Amino acid sequence: MNTNDASSISRRTALTMAAGGTLAAMAGRVVADPVAPAAAPAAAAALKGNINHSLVSWCYFKHFDNDIDKFCVAAKSIGCKSIELIDPKHWATLKKHGLTCAISGSHGFVQGFNNPKHWDKCIATLTERIDQCAAAGVPSVISFTGMREPEIPDDVGAKNCIEGYKKILGHAEKNKVTICLEMLNSRYDINMVGHPGYQGDHMDYCIDILKKVGSERLKVLFDIYHVQIMDGDVITRIRQHKQYIGHIHTAGNPGRGELDNKQEINYPPIMEALVEVGYKGYVGHEYIPTREVMAGLKQAVALCDV
C-alpha cells in the first residue's frame, strides 16, 4: 500500500546490534586478539539468502524521524535489501547505502482501473513511475483495482480492469517494469488494517484479471496478511498461482501487527513454499508497529529467514 512514534534507535540498541553482528561473524573460529574493533553500524546481518527482505516505508519511516539515512542504516543492519513504496526522491540515497526500492508507489487504492473515468489519471501516474523505475533499476510498480461503486458490479469492474491495463502494459513491457496488482482485504473498517469496498478483495478475482490480460508484466502483489483474511489456504495459493506472483507483503493477523506469537500466520513454512516454487522477488514487511520498532523488524526478518 501507499506511503507514510517511536524515537530513533538508542545508543544502547545500536551497540547491541553491532555486538551481535560481531559475535555472529566470529562464531566457530579462534581470534588471536581478544580486543576486536566494533562492527560497522551499517554492516548487513548474515542471513541465509533465500528471501530478499524489504521494508515498506509508510509503516516505519516515521519511527526513524523521517531521516532516510537513519532508516537505510537500520534496514541494512538487519539484512534487508530494499526500502519500498518510498518517494523516488530517496532512491539515490537508498543506492548510496547499497539498497534498492523493490516496488514503487503509484496511484492510490481508492481510484483504480475498475472505473474508466479514472483511467487517464492512473495511466499518467503509472507512465511516470514506469519511466522512473526503468531509469533507476526499480523492478516493479504497484497498482489497484479501486473501490466498488454502485454502477460497477464485480464483473464490470474486472472487465474494465482488463481493458484499462491493456492501455498501459505496452509501456511497461517496453521498459521491462512489472505492474503488480494488489489484493486487499475488505473486512476490517480500521485505517490501513482493512479496506471496506475495495473491489479486488479476493485472490481468484485478481488472478482472473491477470490471466485475461495475458502479459508477463502484469502480476499480483500477494499480500499474505490480506490473503489470510479473505481466502486463507495461503501455501496452496502460492503453489497454484506461482507464475503470477510479482511481489509479497507480510503482517501479523489479526490486527496487522508484528510477526510474533500473538498472531496466527505461520510464516516459516510460507516462506519455505516461496523458495520451493522458485520465487526470486522481494518480501516486503508491511505491519503497523505496536512496540519498539527495531525489535519487531529483527524478529520479522529472522522468522522469515528460511
Side-chain angles (χ1 to χ4, degrees), residues 75-95:
K76 191 78 179 288
S77 74
I78 57 175
C80 293
K81 297 181 179 180
S82 158
I83 293 174
E84 64 184 71
L85 299 183
I86 194 163
D87 195 300
K89 70 183 181 182
H90 295 305
W91 291 356
T93 304
L94 267 59
K95 186 175 181 180

Side-chain angles (χ1 to χ4, degrees), residues 199-231:
Q199 195 148 46
D201 60 350
H202 287 281
M203 186 53 58
D204 289 345
Y205 184 84
C206 293
I207 293 294
D208 188 59
I209 291 170
L210 269 57
K211 288 179 177 179
K212 289 178 178 175
V213 171
S215 171
E216 282 296 309
R217 290 296 170 181
L218 181 65
K219 293 188 180 292
V220 71
L221 197 166
F222 192 108
D223 189 309
I224 295 165
Y225 162 76
H226 292 301
V227 174
Q228 170 74 358
I229 292 169
M230 298 302 297
D231 296 324

Side-chain angles (χ1 to χ4, degrees), residues 6-306:
S7 61
S8 61
I9 307 171
S10 68
R11 183 172 181 274
R12 179 177 297 176
T13 302
L15 289 172
T16 301
M17 288 160 49
T22 302
L23 288 172
M26 290 165 50
R29 62 177 179 162
V30 177
V31 179
D33 184 354
V35 181
L47 300 176
K48 294 175 183 175
N50 295 318
I51 299 296
N52 297 314
H53 296 272
S54 179
L55 302 182
V56 179
S57 63
W58 72 265
C59 304
Y60 317 114
F61 197 9
K62 66 181 179 181
H63 294 278
F64 298 96
D65 305 321
N66 292 318
D67 183 324
I68 186 60
D69 286 292
K70 189 182 296 185
F71 191 16
C72 286
V73 169
K76 191 78 179 288
S77 74
I78 57 175
C80 293
K81 297 181 179 180
S82 158
I83 293 174
E84 64 184 71
L85 299 183
I86 194 163
D87 195 300
K89 70 183 181 182
H90 295 305
W91 291 356
T93 304
L94 267 59
K95 186 175 181 180
K96 180 183 73 175
H97 287 275
L99 299 168
T100 189
C101 176
I103 186 168
S104 168
S106 68
H107 63 93
F109 59 82
V110 175
Q111 296 180 349
F113 279 91
N114 65 339
N115 191 331
K117 73 182 182 183
H118 303 314
W119 283 355
D120 287 347
K121 180 179 179 181
C122 292
I123 289 170
T125 302
L126 278 171
T127 300
E128 179 184 16
R129 284 292 185 266
I130 288 167
D131 291 342
Q132 291 170 321
C133 288
V138 172
S140 302
V141 59
I142 200 169
S143 186
F144 305 92
T145 63
M147 306 298 262
R148 288 184 174 90
E149 299 184 31
E151 71 276 20
I152 304 177
D154 286 355
D155 60 336
V156 175
K159 180 177 177 293
N160 289 341
C161 283
I162 293 163
E163 186 178 346
Y165 279 121
K166 286 182 177 179
K167 295 180 180 295
I168 184 63
L169 274 162
H171 193 63
E173 291 165 351
K174 181 179 69 175
N175 286 279
K176 297 181 171 58
V177 174
T178 301
I179 299 172
C180 291
L181 170 62
E182 183 166 19
M183 180 208 134
L184 302 173
N185 92 77
S186 58
R187 282 191 63 188
Y188 291 110
D189 191 11
I190 305 171
N191 185 38
M192 301 308 281
V193 174
H195 306 279
Y198 184 73
Q199 195 148 46
D201 60 350
H202 287 281
M203 186 53 58
D204 289 345
Y205 184 84
C206 293
I207 293 294
D208 188 59
I209 291 170
L210 269 57
K211 288 179 177 179
K212 289 178 178 175
V213 171
S215 171
E216 282 296 309
R217 290 296 170 181
L218 181 65
K219 293 188 180 292
V220 71
L221 197 166
F222 192 108
D223 189 309
I224 295 165
Y225 162 76
H226 292 301
V227 174
Q228 170 74 358
I229 292 169
M230 298 302 297
D231 296 324
D233 211 11
V234 172
I235 290 175
T236 296
R237 291 180 189 281
I238 286 171
R239 291 171 176 159
Q240 179 183 4
H241 302 310
K242 59 186 177 182
Q243 70 269 38
Y244 299 107
I245 298 175
H247 195 73
I248 297 287
H249 278 166
T250 75
N253 185 58
R256 199 170 188 168
E258 286 84 356
L259 278 57
D260 56 23
N261 59 8
K262 296 181 180 179
Q263 62 88 39
E264 68 186 6
I265 304 175
N266 191 9
Y267 272 99
I270 293 174
M271 294 297 116
E272 289 169 358
L274 288 170
V275 175
E276 170 199 313
V277 301
Y279 176 73
K280 301 296 183 184
Y282 290 85
V283 172
H285 300 293
E286 193 187 27
Y287 66 82
I288 301 170
T290 64
R291 49 186 170 83
E292 200 278 320
V293 67
M294 282 301 291
L297 289 174
K298 286 192 285 186
Q299 181 181 36
V301 169
L303 186 68
C304 293
D305 182 37
V306 298

